[in-house]
Amino acid sequence: MNPAELARRVGASLPEVILVRDEVTAVAERGELLVALQGLREDPDLRLDFLSCVTATDWPERLPRFWLAYELYSLEHRHRLRVKVGLAGEDAVVPSVTELFPTADWLEREVYDFYGIVFEGHPDLRRILLPEGWEGWPLRKTEELGGVNTRYRDGAFIPPVDRRIT
């Protein structure tokens, strides 16, 4: 199925579909995310059965502040689709998709670790790359541009790049 046909087909179930540079992106509401992803996975013409990536962007000056992106792929039909969900900054919670796509387990944990977005119903939502005691969300745009303070277990401390003495 070519990208234009994929966009038309997905547009039958999701109202906002964008086709740019042969990449298809659909926008789903948070409350309809699980139903939308299940439909995309089970539709025999689409069979978007592999979740290859979950990521986020932070736009603190916009509404919604966060955008989650789910990258789906059909192993059978060999086409791709991106599904995006917008989240308000003060309500950065979305249902976990681990029941539908087991690969979401660690992908959601990484987004939680770096952005602080909560995946409701996740079986083990905790930090995956940063230490358990880490404060803050390093990929949020509210962090300093020079980086974040880095503390190691042995007591070593490295300040952000813009505050290091040379």
Side-chain angles (χ1 to χ4, degrees):
M1 178 178 313
N2 67 43
E5 176 62 22
L6 177 63
R8 186 195 65 70
R9 185 79 170 87
V10 170
S13 60
L14 292 169
E16 188 176 348
V17 178
I18 304 157
L19 173 62
V20 176
R21 296 185 190 128
D22 286 341
E23 291 184 6
V24 183
T25 302
V27 178
E29 295 295 322
R30 172 180 35 193
E32 298 169 6
L33 176 65
L34 294 176
V35 171
L37 292 179
Q38 184 171 7
L40 294 168
R41 186 186 72 178
E42 293 176 359
D43 184 320
D45 294 332
L46 298 176
R47 279 281 186 247
L48 290 154
D49 52 2
F50 178 66
L51 177 68
S52 60
C53 180
V54 177
T55 191
T57 55
D58 180 13
W59 302 89
E61 69 284 351
R62 296 186 188 172
L63 290 176
R65 176 179 176 168
F66 297 105
W67 280 97
L68 280 173
Y70 296 84
E71 302 284 340
L72 301 172
Y73 181 71
S74 172
L75 297 168
E76 180 181 339
H77 301 299
R78 301 181 63 190
H79 52 242
R80 298 180 182 280
L81 174 70
R82 178 181 303 113
V83 177
K84 294 179 84 173
V85 178
L87 301 172
E90 64 279 354
D91 188 23
V93 179
V94 67
S96 174
V97 301
T98 54
E99 290 290 320
L100 293 171
F101 300 101
T103 57
D105 188 341
W106 285 26
L107 300 172
E108 290 177 350
R109 283 180 61 191
E110 184 176 17
V111 171
Y112 167 74
D113 202 4
F114 289 126
Y115 289 95
I117 296 171
V118 174
F119 293 88
E120 200 168 65
H122 189 281
D124 187 21
L125 191 62
R126 59 187 165 97
R127 292 202 183 268
I128 190 168
L129 296 171
L130 296 173
E132 280 298 323
W134 189 276
E135 293 179 19
W137 316 104
L139 291 184
R140 284 191 179 189
K141 296 289 195 298
T142 51
E143 294 290 339
E144 297 178 30
L145 290 178
V148 296
N149 294 326
T150 304
R151 286 178 175 52
Y152 294 93
R153 290 182 187 182
D154 64 359
F157 171 78
I158 299 175
V161 176
D162 61 347
R163 288 192 270 156
R164 294 181 189 165
I165 299 171
T166 56

